[in-house]
Amino acid sequence: MNSPAELTTALATLPAFSALDPAAVPAKIAAIVADNERGIEQMLDASGPKTWDAVCARLDNFNDRLNRAWSPVRHLHSVADNDALRAAYNEALPLIVNYGTAQMQNDRLCAAYRALLESPDFASLSAARQQVIRHAVRDFRLGGIELDSAARERFSAIQQRLNQLGTHFGDHVLDATRAWHWHTEDASRLTGLPDSLLRLAAQNAGQAGRPGWLLTLDLPCYGPAMMYAEDRALRAELYGAYCTRASEQGPDAGKFDNGALIGEMLALRHELAQLVGFANFADYSLATKMAPSAAGVIGFLRDLAARSRPHAQREFAELQRYARDQLALDALEAWDVAYASERLRQDAYAVSQEALRPYFPAPRVIAGLFAVVGRLFGIEIAKVNGIDTWHVDVEVFRIHDAEGRLRGLFYLDLFARPGKRGGAWMDECIVRRRTASGIQQPVAYLTCNFTPPVGGRPSLLTHEEVITLFHEFGHGLHHMLTLVEEAPVAGINGVAWDAVELPSQFLENWCWEREAIDLLSGHHETGERLPGIMFERLLAAKGFQAGVKMLRQIEFALFDFRLHVEYHPQIDVQQVIDDVRREVAVFLPPAWNRFQHSFSHIFGGGYAAGYYSYKWAEVLAADAYARFEDEGVFNRAVGTDFMTAILEAGGAYAAMALFHRFRGRDPQPEALLRRSGLLS
Ligand SMILES: [Zn+2]
């Protein structure tokens, strides 16, 4: 039943943003941390059996209390930054990090969870509680808690060294990127470059105290330069510098070389994995993921590659033909590919995102989004007025389900402004759980950076921005529609890393459906829906070089994964990437290309033996969506199935089991291939 009391209770849990005093934050966080740590020790000291209620429920209470105090600070630091807040954030952050680390290294806590896992009572716990305990024991083990003291010391020394190496790797890439530039005072060499890039290049030169134009290897400069520069020698020079960054090749050969760092990182990851009982780092990485095995991941990537390859070869042949006939480029070189592709795209497929904007005013898109998820899941979303937030543009909404029950609340913060970090994301404000006083309702932050309304004109979105909004809302629904009552596995918590993008990528599909576009579009002056001809072109552009793009991602993923599976002390990294390219790529780069020396995802970020996750999640999302294609894209019964099987279940069950619940079988790649136009 629709109960106003339920909403009042939930609203009372929201943080008081305007009353948040940055100066008081570090002391407040320190007090909670100290109090929690005392409480955890007391709990472990207590005599009596270590039951769910005596240990897990109490630990979750402690952690939830800290999360709820920290979440608004973390959030404001991202969306309403100022000096006082940043100082408070930086002072309190180490307390939060150390609190988490200490918990993972707490032997007595680990013993309590392990005892529960092995106790006869375990079987009588709910599925969610069982999963919380399983995950905890797993994570204690992956953190090295089972090791004797010498091995534990080695384990943490490796972790620290790996962190350092990752930072050095990134620093080298950054230094190499900054060290090189290309300068000219001859405007004729810049023919073809768009005005925005010319302005940037002139500004670069001005900042360096030089006349003319200066091109750098920063992506906003390098990317468009490679796409638009008609001067082939310039493209070749840029490419040569970019693809040899931080290596023993190219114009800065040996200066910032990441070669030794890569070798040391691979060796240490391998040792770390073996210390805690895995054959290699790939197996260690998979311990927390949905993909079943290393062989499974490699088979998955090879199958996708083999099936995409004929299409990619045709696409590349089309590109070669076009380059020869239209651009007088007889032999396509590595530095011609982006340029020729962009020319072909514009000739044959282009639709300007700018031309689409008038059809997607933000208020219309938001109403359309709510209508789409309303039809799919039977939920009803309404604005709640008078809520304290951090900015006048921020709105608060509540979600009711088909039975009129409150399911969650969210803050919607759509527009770019000073002090707000770029990009779009969903973050947790409050996680759903059962407390002594009832259900604590989930609350999400949904953040975008769209152009704000100007004068009387509403914010107008590109189609890409509409997709971004759907993507983040998919994460939001995963967080808010959960019915799990244990925070560590509610919503996106406890969901395998390679499955967490399923709901977000899944929801994007409706941005490509005519019926949904009719709900989402309406010209801001005339109200006219997106014209059919523009929609057709949008669909055609989506399929442009889909095979080539697919293979490129598979090349990265297979290289990353094989490197970590096949590691041995004499491994030749260049040999592995050469092998992968021979197997997968439709076009081989020059032998001196050292892409891997700036592959920050796997050497400077968190994607080691996990880059395949991008494709994995895409397959899950497309395959889940295919049921809607078969049974109706607005089929409410299928929507309800998706909601109950995936969204409501969160991390309480293994991701593969949930996929089976919805699809009745293992994920299959056909739907992704078909939607990408790669199925013959
Ligand atoms: Zn995402």
Side-chain angles (χ1 to χ4, degrees):
M1 267 315 293
N2 191 341
S3 146
E6 202 178 37
L7 182 61
T8 311
T9 308
L11 291 175
T13 64
L14 296 179
F17 286 99
S18 59
L20 196 143
D21 173 14
V25 165
K28 185 181 166 198
I29 295 295
I32 296 176
V33 164
D35 198 49
N36 280 3
E37 283 173 344
R38 239 186 340 266
I40 292 168
E41 287 311 304
Q42 278 167 7
M43 163 183 108
L44 294 169
D45 287 341
S47 55
K50 301 282 186 273
T51 59
W52 172 273
D53 288 336
V55 179
C56 313
R58 292 189 61 194
L59 184 69
D60 289 344
N61 284 339
F62 290 128
N63 290 345
D64 186 65
R65 180 178 167 214
L66 184 60
N67 284 340
R68 291 193 35 199
W70 182 239
S71 162
V73 180
R74 183 184 64 215
H75 185 63
L76 289 191
H77 177 247
S78 295
V79 299
D81 197 23
N82 58 49
D83 289 346
L85 196 67
R86 190 178 304 183
Y89 176 86
N90 288 334
E91 195 180 334
L93 184 62
L95 301 173
I96 302 280
V97 173
N98 292 340
Y99 174 81
T101 310
Q103 212 165 84
M104 288 317 296
Q105 289 170 354
N106 188 325
D107 293 288
R108 292 200 299 159
L109 196 59
C110 174
Y113 273 85
R114 185 181 301 279
L116 259 168
L117 179 67
E118 287 155 6
S119 81
D121 296 342
F122 182 76
S124 64
L125 295 173
S126 71
R129 290 180 177 185
Q130 291 186 6
Q131 190 77 327
V132 171
I133 294 167
R134 265 191 232 106
H135 282 181
V137 170
R138 174 196 73 190
D139 294 342
F140 278 122
R141 176 185 171 215
L142 293 177
I145 204 160
E146 289 173 1
L147 303 175
D148 64 35
S149 65
R152 206 191 275 197
E153 221 163 274
R154 177 66 188 149
F155 188 87
S156 79
I158 291 176
Q159 280 181 317
Q160 280 176 24
R161 180 67 184 151
L162 279 173
N163 279 336
Q164 268 178 6
L165 289 168
T167 307
H168 289 166
F169 184 95
D171 289 347
H172 278 169
V173 175
L174 206 62
D175 292 346
T177 303
R178 285 189 184 151
W180 192 90
H181 59 253
W182 183 90
H183 178 253
T184 189
E185 293 178 41
D186 177 1
S188 73
R189 298 216 56 191
L190 303 174
T191 311
L193 298 190
D195 282 346
S196 55
L197 181 57
L198 288 173
R199 274 198 301 274
L200 179 64
Q203 188 188 319
N204 287 342
Q207 280 166 357
R210 302 174 74 172
W213 298 269
L214 200 131
L215 296 175
T216 69
L217 298 180
D218 285 318
L219 213 53
C221 191
Y222 176 78
M226 290 305 288
M227 275 202 281
Y228 298 109
E230 289 177 16
D231 186 326
R232 196 181 195 188
L234 167 59
R235 293 200 308 266
E237 217 179 321
L238 283 168
Y239 177 89
Y242 188 82
C243 295
T244 54
R245 283 175 304 154
S247 79
E248 85 295 2
Q249 296 283 338
D252 284 324
K255 263 196 216 167
F256 312 100
D257 192 357
N258 269 334
L261 272 60
I262 291 174
E264 191 182 348
M265 260 189 265
L266 291 174
L268 289 177
R269 284 177 184 162
H270 192 71
E271 187 185 346
L272 180 115
Q274 292 205 325
L275 268 175
V276 286
F278 294 91
N280 54 57
F281 189 78
D283 282 352
Y284 176 85
S285 158
L286 291 185
T288 50
K289 295 189 172 76
M290 173 183 178
S293 65
V297 170
I298 288 176
F300 164 78
L301 292 170
R302 287 199 160 135
D303 174 49
L304 266 187
R307 296 166 73 168
S308 310
R309 206 147 186 271
H311 298 266
Q313 279 165 331
R314 274 199 295 278
E315 290 163 6
F316 199 73
E318 182 197 7
L319 183 67
Q320 281 175 314
R321 240 185 345 265
Y322 175 85
R324 189 190 58 218
D325 299 346
Q326 306 295 323
L327 306 173
L329 293 171
D330 276 337
L332 208 55
E333 301 284 354
W335 42 91
D336 299 325
V337 173
Y339 171 74
S341 296
E342 178 57 19
R343 293 285 296 262
L344 172 60
R345 191 186 70 85
Q346 287 195 357
D347 264 13
Y349 303 91
V351 47
S352 152
Q353 287 286 330
E354 290 307 311
L356 296 169
R357 277 190 197 274
Y359 294 95
F360 294 112
R364 169 80 186 179
V365 173
I366 298 294
L369 166 67
F370 293 173
V372 168
V373 296
R375 285 175 66 177
L376 286 175
F377 307 122
I379 54 177
E380 185 241 343
I381 301 176
K383 190 175 169 180
V384 186
N385 290 309
I387 307 297
D388 175 41
T389 71
W390 53 93
H391 191 274
V392 61
D393 286 347
V394 179
E395 297 178 292
V396 176
F397 295 86
R398 59 112 182 104
I399 301 181
H400 277 146
D401 64 17
E403 283 77 47
R405 285 180 302 177
L406 180 68
R407 294 293 284 268
L409 298 160
F410 62 94
Y411 296 91
L412 188 64
D413 184 356
L414 287 180
F415 306 122
R417 61 173 176 268
K420 182 172 169 182
R421 175 158 67 85
W425 67 92
M426 190 287 293
D427 193 9
E428 300 169 339
C429 175
I430 297 175
V431 182
R432 188 178 199 270
R433 59 194 292 264
R434 182 171 289 283
T435 70
S437 50
I439 288 294
Q440 172 175 295
Q441 298 287 357
V443 182
Y445 306 113
L446 283 154
T447 311
C448 298
N449 267 282
F450 301 148
T451 317
V454 188
R457 212 183 72 168
S459 168
L460 302 174
L461 312 190
T462 65
H463 185 253
E464 284 163 3
E465 288 173 331
V466 175
I467 294 173
T468 299
L469 180 70
F470 270 68
H471 180 102
E472 298 311 331
F473 207 74
H475 285 307
L477 289 180
H478 204 187
H479 174 64
M480 291 183 283
L481 293 183
T482 194
L483 288 180
V484 175
E485 301 187 349
E486 312 301 340
V489 290
I492 60 172
N493 291 292
V495 176
W497 201 66
D498 48 356
V500 82
E501 294 294 330
L502 164 58
S504 52
Q505 297 200 13
F506 163 82
L507 204 62
E508 289 179 22
N509 285 295
W510 277 268
C511 302
W512 299 100
E513 290 294 344
R514 182 70 240 190
E515 214 181 328
I517 287 288
D518 285 343
L519 295 169
L520 294 164
S521 64
H523 194 284
H524 72 105
E525 282 162 342
T526 65
E528 184 200 0
R529 286 169 185 165
L530 185 71
I533 181 82
M534 292 180 96
F535 183 64
E536 293 307 319
R537 251 179 113 77
L538 205 55
L539 283 176
K542 184 187 179 216
F544 177 62
Q545 288 192 350
V548 168
K549 287 177 203 154
M550 173 81 83
L551 287 188
R552 194 160 166 71
Q553 288 298 313
I554 293 173
E555 179 185 320
F556 298 162
L558 199 53
F559 166 64
D560 162 47
F561 210 78
R562 282 188 52 190
L563 206 52
H564 291 98
V565 173
E566 296 166 17
Y567 176 81
H568 59 88
Q570 284 77 42
I571 197 166
D572 180 342
V573 175
Q574 187 64 42
Q575 184 74 50
V576 177
I577 196 162
D578 288 346
D579 268 10
V580 167
R581 281 180 178 147
R582 265 194 300 275
E583 179 185 346
V584 168
V586 286
F587 176 79
L588 294 179
W592 43 260
N593 177 299
R594 289 292 178 272
F595 155 76
Q596 66 272 23
H597 286 240
S598 56
F599 194 6
S600 296
H601 273 87
I602 70 162
F603 295 120
Y607 279 83
Y611 197 87
Y612 79 88
S613 298
Y614 286 113
K615 282 289 151 214
W616 186 267
E618 264 181 58
V619 162
L620 298 181
D623 197 15
Y625 185 67
R627 231 193 106 186
F628 288 85
E629 291 177 297
D630 291 344
E631 299 176 41
V633 293
F634 280 109
N635 186 319
R636 189 47 206 289
V638 183
T640 304
D641 268 4
F642 187 82
M643 181 165 78
T644 51
I646 310 282
L647 299 175
E648 291 180 354
Y653 300 86
M656 191 63 93
L658 295 184
F659 192 87
H660 270 257
R661 242 189 236 177
F662 178 65
R663 214 60 180 94
R665 55 162 175 74
D666 279 353
Q668 292 171 358
E670 279 73 15
L672 177 63
L673 291 167
R674 190 177 60 245
R675 281 189 76 71
S676 311
L678 300 175
L679 209 60
S680 319

